[in-house]
Amino acid sequence: MSQDIFVVAEHLRGTLADVTFELLGKGRELADATGGALVAVLLGGDAAALAGGLGIADGVVHVDHPSLAEFNPESASAALVEVVAQRSPRLLLVANTSMGMDLAAAVAVRRDVPLVAYATDVALDGDALVATSQLYGGKIYTESVLDGPSSVVSVLAGSFPAAAGKRDGSPTVDAIAAPADIDTGRIEFVALDEPEGGDVDITAQEALVCVGRGIQSEDNIPLAEALAKALGGAVCSSRPIVDSKWLPKTRQVGKSGVKVAPKIYVTLGVSGAPEHIEGMKDAELIIAINTDENAPIFEYAHYGVTEDLFDVVPPLTEKLES
Amino acid sequence: MNIVVPIKLVPDLVEELEIDDDGTDLDRDFLSLRINEFCDHALEEALQLKDAHGATVTVLALDGDETDKVLYTALAKGADRAIKITGIDGAATSRQTANAVANALEGIDYDLVLTGVQAADDRDGQLPVLLASRLGIPHVSVVSEVAIDGDAIHIKKEYAGGVTATLRAKPRVVLGVQAARETPRYAPVSRVRQIMKEAELDEVEAGDVGAGATSSVRRMFTPDKGEGAEMIEGDADAIAAKLAEILNAKRS
């Protein structure tokens, strides 16, 4: 049985994703514990250029094919399934990202290996791997035992420090031939688009007021804007607000939005789903206002308030203005 | 185009979640279930496509508490057919759910499957890719826009930081919907009641949903609140004063 830990090295436009280094750092720790090798898996991309940033790994396996030039869920899944079929790693770590979600379950089903999703930790406990998952919007955790020869775990971004996985070097690159089903033509890549510019850059603000579902109505957004103005910052939001089109996509914090680390982060009616937390937990001062005392946001906030935001925010704005 | 929308029901996260005596699952006796919000978006996107192109929309859900209500609501919103998958309950894993839906799809003529990209209880993976892999058809996760152009399906896939990819697919494909182009529509209670009198839910057997390779849960727990926030109590004005003090100290 292989003791190797494989990590999918996610890349977009020639740059490795931060979450890849988070996974590599954890992967290094696990490989040292199992006695196996840490191997980074590159699907497409310029292996010679990217491998230099993967120095923490003992080796890199690379699958290259024209259909992998841009991320294509069909081709990337076929390539990764082939890698796992040939190498049968003890553990494959995949980020629970837009790309990772298209890969993890495909490998699990097609190789018939167990998958644990939404992991925030993976540890070797005796002979078994144990993955801790964050479920139900962060309200519940589970520990899953993976005692078989090969498993897949998809990890939430922000679970481990990226610094632990960043090391320059020149790991050996092994090419694995693309499988026959890599390009069925059933999915084609058309274009990659950057977000529209022109809006406030929320990553550059010292103070952010974040609105969540608890703001209740688009009509209440000005309440948050007044508070943000009093703090000299801007308004941002969790995903449901952007999905409802109450604020533009440029204001979304968290997965599929942006990561922010302002001096001040005040949340209004934000529950603190894992997808949001990964985008804001590095803020210096977090104040959460939410009437649900069990909301996960209170685990991450420095100060919490369960009074109604509609009662607290107007006097707070007034006091900050004076 | 025939569109199928498998709908997952999940615990309402606004309610308190209790862990059972074994400490390995939720106490399901008093769970209040509702439609997974991402599946609600998948249904809305399907109905938008129907409005624009005249597709038929079939919704599917595993039988359980609240399933009838969720399916009738989908019909009231504009779905053409609703199917209840029997012989398996809401405690099914994502993989079992995927297998049950795949079995049900054997008897359905479909081109496009739209379902929620994720759900709060997907411990063993998200439904869209599990389902597509089981069916042997392609998948795209984190989809925010779908357009039909003849035989081609144009898909917008979201990455971090607002970057999006446009992909083109041919039927059949499974899409994991993150957000519909519009906020999911609302079905008035009177309309749902009327549909309950007029319409019927079809039923199909789940069939063999063999779990496949799986992991076991050894412990379920609520996060440690030990290092949580310092809670500020008092009336609204006193709280505002205290917060202003904290914020001003940080700003100076």
Side-chain angles (χ1 to χ4, degrees), chain A residues 73 96 98 102 108 112-113 117 125 136 139 141 143-145 186 188 190-191 193 230 239 245 249 257 275 284 298 302 304 307, chain B residues 13 16 95 118 120 123 126 136 139 141 157-158 161 164 166 168 178 181 213 216 218-219 221 223 229-230 232 239 250-251:
Chain A
N96 192 73
S98 181
D102 270 320
D112 197 25
V113 292
D125 185 357
Y136 301 104
K139 287 192 164 183
Y141 285 72
E143 287 174 359
S144 303
V145 180
R186 298 190 291 186
E188 287 170 86
V190 178
D193 294 304
R239 183 194 46 75
K245 317 280 193 272
K249 184 82 193 167
E275 297 84 14
E284 285 178 38
F298 291 125
H302 303 96
E307 273 291 308
Chain B
L13 297 184
E16 189 119 1
R95 208 136 155 178
Q118 63 182 63
R123 186 187 66 87
Q126 293 96 4
H139 47 83
S141 289
K157 175 178 174 68
E158 294 189 5
T164 56
T166 304
R168 186 165 49 225
Q178 168 84 19
R181 67 191 85 175
S216 56
R218 77 171 183 190
R219 185 162 86 100
F221 58 103
E230 180 183 321
I232 299 169
I239 290 169
K250 181 71 185 173
R251 286 203 288 168

Short mmCIF file of all heavy atoms in Angstrom, two decimals, chain A residues 73 96 98 102 108 112-113 117 125 136 139 141 143-145 186 188 190-191 193 230 239 245 249 257 275 284 298 302 304 307, chain B residues 13 16 95 118 120 123 126 136 139 141 157-158 161 164 166 168 178 181 213 216 218-219 221 223 229-230 232 239 250-251:
data_model
loop_
_atom_site.label_atom_id
_atom_site.label_comp_id
_atom_site.label_asym_id
_atom_site.label_seq_id
_atom_site.Cartn_x
_atom_site.Cartn_y
_atom_site.Cartn_z
N PRO A 73 -13.47 20.88 -16.75
CA PRO A 73 -13.81 19.87 -15.74
C PRO A 73 -13.70 18.44 -16.28
O PRO A 73 -13.28 17.53 -15.57
CB PRO A 73 -15.26 20.20 -15.38
CG PRO A 73 -15.43 21.63 -15.72
CD PRO A 73 -14.54 21.87 -16.92
N ASN A 96 -11.36 22.53 -1.75
CA ASN A 96 -12.81 22.58 -1.99
C ASN A 96 -13.15 23.90 -2.69
O ASN A 96 -13.89 24.73 -2.20
CB ASN A 96 -13.55 22.46 -0.66
CG ASN A 96 -15.03 22.20 -0.85
OD1 ASN A 96 -15.44 21.11 -1.23
ND2 ASN A 96 -15.85 23.22 -0.65
N SER A 98 -13.76 25.99 -6.68
CA SER A 98 -14.53 25.78 -7.91
C SER A 98 -13.90 24.67 -8.75
O SER A 98 -14.60 23.79 -9.26
CB SER A 98 -14.57 27.09 -8.70
OG SER A 98 -15.32 26.95 -9.88
N ASP A 102 -14.93 20.08 -8.94
CA ASP A 102 -15.11 19.32 -10.18
C ASP A 102 -14.18 18.11 -10.26
O ASP A 102 -14.30 17.31 -11.18
CB ASP A 102 -14.90 20.23 -11.40
CG ASP A 102 -16.20 20.88 -11.86
OD1 ASP A 102 -17.22 20.20 -11.83
OD2 ASP A 102 -16.17 22.07 -12.22
N ALA A 108 -13.37 10.12 -6.73
CA ALA A 108 -13.95 9.21 -5.74
C ALA A 108 -14.87 8.18 -6.40
O ALA A 108 -14.78 6.99 -6.11
CB ALA A 108 -14.72 10.01 -4.69
N ASP A 112 -13.67 4.52 -7.21
CA ASP A 112 -14.37 3.94 -6.05
C ASP A 112 -13.53 3.98 -4.77
O ASP A 112 -13.23 2.97 -4.15
CB ASP A 112 -14.83 2.50 -6.33
CG ASP A 112 -15.90 2.06 -5.31
OD1 ASP A 112 -16.58 2.95 -4.76
OD2 ASP A 112 -16.03 0.85 -5.07
N VAL A 113 -13.15 5.20 -4.43
CA VAL A 113 -12.46 5.43 -3.15
C VAL A 113 -13.30 6.41 -2.34
O VAL A 113 -14.07 7.19 -2.90
CB VAL A 113 -11.02 6.00 -3.36
CG1 VAL A 113 -10.13 4.96 -3.99
CG2 VAL A 113 -11.04 7.28 -4.19
N ALA A 117 -15.53 15.57 2.34
CA ALA A 117 -15.52 16.95 1.87
C ALA A 117 -15.52 17.94 3.04
O ALA A 117 -15.72 17.55 4.19
CB ALA A 117 -16.73 17.20 0.97
N ASP A 125 -4.02 9.04 12.75
CA ASP A 125 -4.33 8.61 14.11
C ASP A 125 -4.13 7.09 14.14
O ASP A 125 -4.98 6.35 13.65
CB ASP A 125 -5.77 9.00 14.46
CG ASP A 125 -6.10 8.69 15.90
OD1 ASP A 125 -5.24 8.13 16.60
OD2 ASP A 125 -7.23 9.00 16.34
N TYR A 136 -23.01 21.86 7.96
CA TYR A 136 -24.17 22.65 8.40
C TYR A 136 -23.79 24.10 8.66
O TYR A 136 -24.01 24.65 9.75
CB TYR A 136 -24.80 21.99 9.64
CG TYR A 136 -25.25 20.58 9.35
CD1 TYR A 136 -24.53 19.48 9.80
CD2 TYR A 136 -26.38 20.35 8.57
CE1 TYR A 136 -24.92 18.19 9.49
CE2 TYR A 136 -26.78 19.06 8.26
CZ TYR A 136 -26.04 17.99 8.72
OH TYR A 136 -26.43 16.72 8.41
N LYS A 139 -21.86 24.94 11.84
CA LYS A 139 -22.45 24.69 13.17
C LYS A 139 -22.07 23.33 13.74
O LYS A 139 -22.19 23.10 14.94
CB LYS A 139 -23.98 24.79 13.09
CG LYS A 139 -24.47 26.22 12.93
CD LYS A 139 -25.96 26.31 13.14
CE LYS A 139 -26.36 27.77 13.36
NZ LYS A 139 -27.78 27.92 13.65
N TYR A 141 -19.32 19.80 13.40
CA TYR A 141 -18.11 19.18 12.84
C TYR A 141 -18.25 17.66 12.93
O TYR A 141 -18.93 17.16 13.82
CB TYR A 141 -16.87 19.60 13.64
CG TYR A 141 -16.42 21.02 13.36
CD1 TYR A 141 -17.15 22.11 13.81
CD2 TYR A 141 -15.25 21.25 12.64
CE1 TYR A 141 -16.74 23.41 13.54
CE2 TYR A 141 -14.82 22.55 12.38
CZ TYR A 141 -15.58 23.61 12.83
OH TYR A 141 -15.16 24.89 12.56
N GLU A 143 -15.80 13.93 12.56
CA GLU A 143 -14.52 13.26 12.32
C GLU A 143 -14.80 11.98 11.55
O GLU A 143 -15.55 11.12 12.04
CB GLU A 143 -13.83 12.92 13.64
CG GLU A 143 -13.26 14.14 14.34
CD GLU A 143 -12.72 13.83 15.72
OE1 GLU A 143 -12.81 12.66 16.14
OE2 GLU A 143 -12.21 14.75 16.37
N SER A 144 -14.23 11.86 10.36
CA SER A 144 -14.45 10.69 9.53
C SER A 144 -13.17 9.86 9.49
O SER A 144 -12.08 10.40 9.33
CB SER A 144 -14.80 11.10 8.10
OG SER A 144 -15.95 11.93 8.10
N VAL A 145 -13.34 8.55 9.64
CA VAL A 145 -12.19 7.65 9.64
C VAL A 145 -11.99 7.08 8.24
O VAL A 145 -12.91 6.52 7.65
CB VAL A 145 -12.40 6.49 10.64
CG1 VAL A 145 -11.20 5.55 10.64
CG2 VAL A 145 -12.66 7.04 12.03
N ARG A 186 -17.03 16.94 -25.14
CA ARG A 186 -18.36 17.20 -24.58
C ARG A 186 -18.40 18.55 -23.86
O ARG A 186 -19.45 19.14 -23.71
CB ARG A 186 -18.76 16.07 -23.63
CG ARG A 186 -18.85 14.72 -24.36
CD ARG A 186 -19.47 13.66 -23.51
NE ARG A 186 -18.60 13.26 -22.39
CZ ARG A 186 -18.90 12.26 -21.57
NH1 ARG A 186 -20.02 11.59 -21.71
NH2 ARG A 186 -18.08 11.93 -20.58
N GLU A 188 -16.23 22.30 -23.86
CA GLU A 188 -15.17 23.10 -24.47
C GLU A 188 -14.97 24.38 -23.67
O GLU A 188 -15.94 25.01 -23.25
CB GLU A 188 -15.58 23.53 -25.88
CG GLU A 188 -15.56 22.45 -26.93
CD GLU A 188 -16.22 23.00 -28.19
OE1 GLU A 188 -15.52 23.63 -28.99
OE2 GLU A 188 -17.45 22.83 -28.32
N VAL A 190 -14.27 28.24 -23.54
CA VAL A 190 -14.50 29.35 -24.48
C VAL A 190 -13.67 30.58 -24.10
O VAL A 190 -12.92 31.10 -24.91
CB VAL A 190 -16.00 29.73 -24.54
CG1 VAL A 190 -16.22 30.92 -25.48
CG2 VAL A 190 -16.83 28.54 -25.00
N ALA A 191 -13.80 31.02 -22.86
CA ALA A 191 -13.10 32.25 -22.48
C ALA A 191 -12.98 32.38 -20.97
O ALA A 191 -13.73 31.76 -20.22
CB ALA A 191 -13.86 33.46 -23.02
N ASP A 193 -12.87 35.41 -18.07
CA ASP A 193 -13.18 36.84 -17.94
C ASP A 193 -12.84 37.37 -16.56
O ASP A 193 -13.17 36.76 -15.55
CB ASP A 193 -14.68 37.07 -18.19
CG ASP A 193 -15.06 36.75 -19.63
OD1 ASP A 193 -14.45 37.35 -20.52
OD2 ASP A 193 -15.93 35.89 -19.83
N ALA A 230 -19.14 56.35 8.12
CA ALA A 230 -18.69 56.88 9.41
C ALA A 230 -17.34 56.28 9.81
O ALA A 230 -16.55 56.90 10.51
CB ALA A 230 -19.75 56.60 10.48
N ARG A 239 -22.24 36.00 0.29
CA ARG A 239 -22.72 35.57 -1.01
C ARG A 239 -24.23 35.79 -1.28
O ARG A 239 -24.58 36.26 -2.37
CB ARG A 239 -22.36 34.09 -1.22
CG ARG A 239 -22.75 33.53 -2.56
CD ARG A 239 -22.68 32.02 -2.55
NE ARG A 239 -23.31 31.45 -1.38
CZ ARG A 239 -24.62 31.37 -1.21
NH1 ARG A 239 -25.44 31.77 -2.14
NH2 ARG A 239 -25.11 30.86 -0.11
N LYS A 245 -28.53 40.13 -6.02
CA LYS A 245 -28.24 41.33 -6.81
C LYS A 245 -28.43 42.63 -6.03
O LYS A 245 -28.70 43.66 -6.60
CB LYS A 245 -29.09 41.38 -8.10
CG LYS A 245 -29.21 40.08 -8.87
CD LYS A 245 -27.98 39.81 -9.73
CE LYS A 245 -28.20 38.70 -10.73
NZ LYS A 245 -27.90 37.36 -10.23
N LYS A 249 -21.03 41.99 -7.63
CA LYS A 249 -20.12 40.87 -7.36
C LYS A 249 -18.78 41.33 -6.77
O LYS A 249 -18.15 40.61 -5.99
CB LYS A 249 -19.88 40.16 -8.70
CG LYS A 249 -19.05 38.93 -8.64
CD LYS A 249 -19.86 37.74 -8.22
CE LYS A 249 -18.93 36.59 -7.85
NZ LYS A 249 -19.64 35.51 -7.16
N GLY A 257 -15.65 35.02 -4.06
CA GLY A 257 -15.49 36.46 -3.95
C GLY A 257 -14.01 36.75 -3.71
O GLY A 257 -13.16 36.07 -4.27
N GLU A 275 -17.70 29.38 3.79
CA GLU A 275 -17.31 30.05 2.55
C GLU A 275 -17.04 31.54 2.78
O GLU A 275 -16.28 32.15 2.05
CB GLU A 275 -18.40 29.93 1.48
CG GLU A 275 -18.69 28.52 1.03
CD GLU A 275 -19.67 27.80 1.94
OE1 GLU A 275 -20.33 28.44 2.76
OE2 GLU A 275 -19.75 26.58 1.84
N GLU A 284 -8.22 42.37 11.40
CA GLU A 284 -7.61 42.62 12.72
C GLU A 284 -8.63 42.70 13.84
O GLU A 284 -8.42 42.20 14.92
CB GLU A 284 -6.82 43.94 12.66
CG GLU A 284 -5.51 43.82 11.92
CD GLU A 284 -4.79 45.16 11.86
OE1 GLU A 284 -4.82 45.92 12.84
OE2 GLU A 284 -4.21 45.45 10.80
N PHE A 298 -19.71 34.13 15.56
CA PHE A 298 -19.25 34.54 16.89
C PHE A 298 -17.99 33.79 17.33
O PHE A 298 -17.32 34.19 18.26
CB PHE A 298 -20.37 34.39 17.92
CG PHE A 298 -21.48 35.38 17.74
CD1 PHE A 298 -22.79 34.95 17.59
CD2 PHE A 298 -21.23 36.74 17.69
CE1 PHE A 298 -23.83 35.86 17.42
CE2 PHE A 298 -22.24 37.66 17.50
CZ PHE A 298 -23.56 37.22 17.36
N HIS A 302 -14.16 39.10 17.44
CA HIS A 302 -13.57 39.49 18.71
C HIS A 302 -14.64 39.99 19.66
O HIS A 302 -14.59 39.75 20.85
CB HIS A 302 -12.50 40.56 18.48
CG HIS A 302 -11.44 40.11 17.54
ND1 HIS A 302 -11.45 40.39 16.19
CD2 HIS A 302 -10.35 39.32 17.74
CE1 HIS A 302 -10.40 39.82 15.61
NE2 HIS A 302 -9.73 39.17 16.53
N GLY A 304 -19.05 40.41 20.03
CA GLY A 304 -20.32 39.98 19.45
C GLY A 304 -21.50 40.69 20.09
O GLY A 304 -21.45 41.08 21.25
N GLU A 307 -28.16 41.82 19.95
CA GLU A 307 -29.27 42.77 19.79
C GLU A 307 -29.55 42.95 18.30
O GLU A 307 -28.68 42.73 17.46
CB GLU A 307 -28.89 44.14 20.37
CG GLU A 307 -29.17 44.29 21.86
CD GLU A 307 -30.65 44.31 22.19
OE1 GLU A 307 -31.40 45.12 21.58
OE2 GLU A 307 -31.06 43.50 23.03
N LEU B 13 -30.91 25.70 8.93
CA LEU B 13 -29.79 26.06 9.80
C LEU B 13 -30.12 27.15 10.80
O LEU B 13 -29.34 27.45 11.69
CB LEU B 13 -28.59 26.48 8.94
CG LEU B 13 -28.01 25.39 8.03
CD1 LEU B 13 -26.78 25.89 7.30
CD2 LEU B 13 -27.68 24.13 8.83
N GLU B 16 -31.94 25.13 15.97
CA GLU B 16 -30.87 24.49 16.72
C GLU B 16 -30.68 23.05 16.24
O GLU B 16 -31.66 22.34 16.02
CB GLU B 16 -31.24 24.48 18.20
CG GLU B 16 -30.12 24.04 19.08
CD GLU B 16 -29.73 25.15 20.05
OE1 GLU B 16 -30.36 26.22 20.01
OE2 GLU B 16 -28.81 24.93 20.82
N ARG B 95 -23.58 10.24 -1.70
CA ARG B 95 -23.31 9.20 -2.70
C ARG B 95 -24.55 8.33 -2.93
O ARG B 95 -24.87 7.98 -4.06
CB ARG B 95 -22.14 8.35 -2.21
CG ARG B 95 -21.38 7.76 -3.34
CD ARG B 95 -19.90 7.90 -3.07
NE ARG B 95 -19.15 6.90 -3.78
CZ ARG B 95 -17.82 6.82 -3.75
NH1 ARG B 95 -17.12 7.68 -3.05
NH2 ARG B 95 -17.20 5.90 -4.41
N GLN B 118 -23.80 22.67 -3.93
CA GLN B 118 -23.41 22.06 -2.66
C GLN B 118 -24.58 22.12 -1.71
O GLN B 118 -25.57 22.81 -1.97
CB GLN B 118 -22.22 22.79 -2.06
CG GLN B 118 -22.51 24.25 -1.69
CD GLN B 118 -21.28 24.96 -1.13
OE1 GLN B 118 -20.29 25.11 -1.82
NE2 GLN B 118 -21.36 25.38 0.11
N ALA B 120 -25.44 21.80 2.84
CA ALA B 120 -24.78 21.92 4.14
C ALA B 120 -24.41 20.58 4.75
O ALA B 120 -23.65 20.52 5.70
CB ALA B 120 -25.69 22.69 5.10
N ARG B 123 -21.17 15.68 3.59
CA ARG B 123 -19.92 15.20 4.18
C ARG B 123 -19.11 14.36 3.20
O ARG B 123 -17.88 14.37 3.20
CB ARG B 123 -20.21 14.37 5.45
CG ARG B 123 -18.95 13.95 6.21
CD ARG B 123 -19.29 13.02 7.35
NE ARG B 123 -19.81 11.74 6.88
CZ ARG B 123 -19.05 10.69 6.56
NH1 ARG B 123 -17.74 10.76 6.66
NH2 ARG B 123 -19.60 9.56 6.13
N GLN B 126 -20.19 16.59 -2.99
CA GLN B 126 -21.33 17.34 -3.50
C GLN B 126 -22.05 16.56 -4.60
O GLN B 126 -21.42 15.90 -5.43
CB GLN B 126 -20.85 18.69 -4.03
CG GLN B 126 -20.35 19.63 -2.93
CD GLN B 126 -18.84 19.59 -2.74
OE1 GLN B 126 -18.12 18.92 -3.47
NE2 GLN B 126 -18.36 20.31 -1.74
N GLY B 136 -21.73 8.94 -15.91
CA GLY B 136 -20.74 8.93 -16.99
C GLY B 136 -20.91 10.08 -17.96
O GLY B 136 -20.62 9.97 -19.14
N HIS B 139 -19.63 17.35 -16.16
CA HIS B 139 -20.17 18.19 -15.09
C HIS B 139 -19.43 19.51 -15.04
O HIS B 139 -18.25 19.58 -15.43
CB HIS B 139 -20.02 17.49 -13.74
CG HIS B 139 -18.64 16.94 -13.52
ND1 HIS B 139 -17.59 17.69 -13.06
CD2 HIS B 139 -18.13 15.70 -13.76
CE1 HIS B 139 -16.51 16.94 -13.00
NE2 HIS B 139 -16.79 15.73 -13.43
N SER B 141 -19.12 22.62 -12.01
CA SER B 141 -19.53 23.10 -10.69
C SER B 141 -19.39 24.62 -10.60
O SER B 141 -18.58 25.21 -11.30
CB SER B 141 -18.66 22.48 -9.60
OG SER B 141 -18.95 21.12 -9.46
N LYS B 157 -18.81 29.61 -15.27
CA LYS B 157 -18.29 28.98 -14.05
C LYS B 157 -17.50 30.02 -13.28
O LYS B 157 -16.66 30.71 -13.85
CB LYS B 157 -17.37 27.82 -14.45
CG LYS B 157 -16.64 27.12 -13.31
CD LYS B 157 -15.81 25.95 -13.85
CE LYS B 157 -14.92 25.30 -12.80
NZ LYS B 157 -15.66 24.59 -11.75
N GLU B 158 -17.78 30.13 -11.98
CA GLU B 158 -17.12 31.16 -11.16
C GLU B 158 -15.86 30.64 -10.49
O GLU B 158 -15.84 29.55 -9.93
CB GLU B 158 -18.06 31.61 -10.04
CG GLU B 158 -19.28 32.32 -10.52
CD GLU B 158 -20.05 32.95 -9.37
OE1 GLU B 158 -19.57 32.90 -8.22
OE2 GLU B 158 -21.12 33.49 -9.63
N GLY B 161 -12.40 35.65 -6.63
CA GLY B 161 -12.07 37.01 -7.04
C GLY B 161 -12.88 37.52 -8.21
O GLY B 161 -12.49 38.49 -8.86
N THR B 164 -14.40 34.60 -14.05
CA THR B 164 -15.33 33.56 -14.51
C THR B 164 -14.81 32.94 -15.82
O THR B 164 -14.13 33.61 -16.60
CB THR B 164 -16.73 34.15 -14.80
OG1 THR B 164 -16.61 35.21 -15.75
CG2 THR B 164 -17.40 34.66 -13.55
N THR B 166 -16.14 30.91 -19.30
CA THR B 166 -17.28 30.49 -20.10
C THR B 166 -16.93 29.15 -20.74
O THR B 166 -15.85 29.01 -21.33
CB THR B 166 -17.60 31.52 -21.20
OG1 THR B 166 -17.81 32.78 -20.58
CG2 THR B 166 -18.86 31.12 -21.97
N ARG B 168 -18.59 25.67 -23.00
CA ARG B 168 -19.69 25.26 -23.86
C ARG B 168 -19.84 23.75 -23.75
O ARG B 168 -18.86 23.02 -23.84
CB ARG B 168 -19.40 25.67 -25.30
CG ARG B 168 -20.55 25.41 -26.27
CD ARG B 168 -20.35 26.15 -27.59
NE ARG B 168 -19.02 25.92 -28.12
CZ ARG B 168 -18.24 26.89 -28.63
NH1 ARG B 168 -18.66 28.14 -28.69
NH2 ARG B 168 -17.04 26.62 -29.09
N GLN B 178 -24.58 27.61 -8.54
CA GLN B 178 -24.24 28.47 -7.39
C GLN B 178 -25.32 29.53 -7.21
O GLN B 178 -25.80 29.75 -6.11
CB GLN B 178 -22.90 29.15 -7.68
CG GLN B 178 -22.52 30.28 -6.77
CD GLN B 178 -21.87 29.78 -5.51
OE1 GLN B 178 -21.38 28.66 -5.45
NE2 GLN B 178 -21.85 30.61 -4.49
N ARG B 181 -29.78 33.48 -12.33
CA ARG B 181 -29.65 34.87 -12.81
C ARG B 181 -30.58 35.81 -12.08
O ARG B 181 -30.35 37.01 -12.03
CB ARG B 181 -29.89 34.91 -14.32
CG ARG B 181 -31.31 34.61 -14.72
CD ARG B 181 -31.46 34.41 -16.19
NE ARG B 181 -31.16 33.04 -16.59
CZ ARG B 181 -31.30 32.58 -17.82
NH1 ARG B 181 -31.71 33.38 -18.77
NH2 ARG B 181 -31.04 31.33 -18.10
N ALA B 213 -17.45 3.00 -1.91
CA ALA B 213 -16.41 3.19 -0.90
C ALA B 213 -16.83 4.35 0.00
O ALA B 213 -17.26 5.38 -0.47
CB ALA B 213 -15.09 3.51 -1.58
N SER B 216 -16.37 6.17 7.76
CA SER B 216 -17.32 6.15 8.87
C SER B 216 -17.11 7.38 9.75
O SER B 216 -15.99 7.86 9.91
CB SER B 216 -17.12 4.88 9.69
OG SER B 216 -15.78 4.79 10.12
N ARG B 218 -16.77 8.89 13.21
CA ARG B 218 -16.52 8.39 14.57
C ARG B 218 -17.00 9.38 15.62
O ARG B 218 -17.23 9.04 16.76
CB ARG B 218 -15.05 8.06 14.76
CG ARG B 218 -14.14 9.24 14.98
CD ARG B 218 -12.74 8.79 15.38
NE ARG B 218 -11.89 9.94 15.66
CZ ARG B 218 -10.59 9.87 15.84
NH1 ARG B 218 -9.98 8.70 15.78
NH2 ARG B 218 -9.90 10.96 16.08
N ARG B 219 -17.17 10.62 15.21
CA ARG B 219 -17.62 11.63 16.18
C ARG B 219 -18.24 12.81 15.46
O ARG B 219 -17.74 13.24 14.43
CB ARG B 219 -16.41 12.12 17.00
CG ARG B 219 -16.76 13.07 18.13
CD ARG B 219 -15.61 13.15 19.13
NE ARG B 219 -14.59 14.14 18.74
CZ ARG B 219 -14.53 15.38 19.28
NH1 ARG B 219 -15.38 15.76 20.20
NH2 ARG B 219 -13.58 16.21 18.88
N PHE B 221 -19.61 16.71 16.51
CA PHE B 221 -19.58 17.62 17.66
C PHE B 221 -19.83 19.06 17.24
O PHE B 221 -19.70 19.40 16.06
CB PHE B 221 -18.24 17.50 18.41
CG PHE B 221 -17.01 17.78 17.57
CD1 PHE B 221 -16.34 19.00 17.68
CD2 PHE B 221 -16.52 16.84 16.66
CE1 PHE B 221 -15.20 19.26 16.91
CE2 PHE B 221 -15.39 17.10 15.89
CZ PHE B 221 -14.72 18.30 16.02
N PRO B 223 -18.73 23.04 17.53
CA PRO B 223 -17.42 23.65 17.76
C PRO B 223 -17.30 24.22 19.17
O PRO B 223 -18.28 24.63 19.77
CB PRO B 223 -17.36 24.75 16.71
CG PRO B 223 -18.75 24.95 16.22
CD PRO B 223 -19.48 23.67 16.46
N ALA B 229 -16.29 35.13 20.61
CA ALA B 229 -16.33 36.57 20.77
C ALA B 229 -16.66 36.96 22.21
O ALA B 229 -17.33 36.23 22.93
CB ALA B 229 -17.39 37.14 19.84
N GLU B 230 -16.18 38.13 22.60
CA GLU B 230 -16.62 38.72 23.86
C GLU B 230 -17.97 39.37 23.58
O GLU B 230 -18.06 40.27 22.74
CB GLU B 230 -15.60 39.77 24.32
CG GLU B 230 -15.99 40.43 25.63
CD GLU B 230 -15.01 41.53 26.04
OE1 GLU B 230 -13.78 41.34 25.83
OE2 GLU B 230 -15.47 42.56 26.53
N ILE B 232 -21.19 41.62 23.97
CA ILE B 232 -21.51 42.91 24.57
C ILE B 232 -23.00 42.96 24.83
O ILE B 232 -23.81 42.78 23.91
CB ILE B 232 -21.06 44.07 23.66
CG1 ILE B 232 -19.54 43.98 23.47
CG2 ILE B 232 -21.47 45.41 24.23
CD1 ILE B 232 -19.00 44.88 22.41
N ILE B 239 -24.93 49.39 23.98
CA ILE B 239 -24.11 48.56 23.09
C ILE B 239 -23.43 49.45 22.05
O ILE B 239 -22.23 49.32 21.78
CB ILE B 239 -24.98 47.48 22.40
CG1 ILE B 239 -25.42 46.44 23.43
CG2 ILE B 239 -24.21 46.81 21.26
CD1 ILE B 239 -26.48 45.47 22.92
N LYS B 250 -9.53 51.49 17.91
CA LYS B 250 -8.83 50.81 16.82
C LYS B 250 -8.43 51.78 15.71
O LYS B 250 -7.41 51.61 15.05
CB LYS B 250 -9.76 49.71 16.25
CG LYS B 250 -9.16 48.89 15.14
CD LYS B 250 -8.07 47.96 15.65
CE LYS B 250 -7.38 47.21 14.53
NZ LYS B 250 -6.23 46.46 15.00
N ARG B 251 -9.27 52.78 15.50
CA ARG B 251 -9.02 53.72 14.40
C ARG B 251 -7.90 54.70 14.73
O ARG B 251 -7.23 55.21 13.83
CB ARG B 251 -10.31 54.52 14.10
CG ARG B 251 -11.34 53.68 13.36
CD ARG B 251 -12.29 54.56 12.61
NE ARG B 251 -13.19 55.27 13.52
CZ ARG B 251 -13.97 56.28 13.13
NH1 ARG B 251 -13.94 56.70 11.88
NH2 ARG B 251 -14.77 56.87 13.99
#
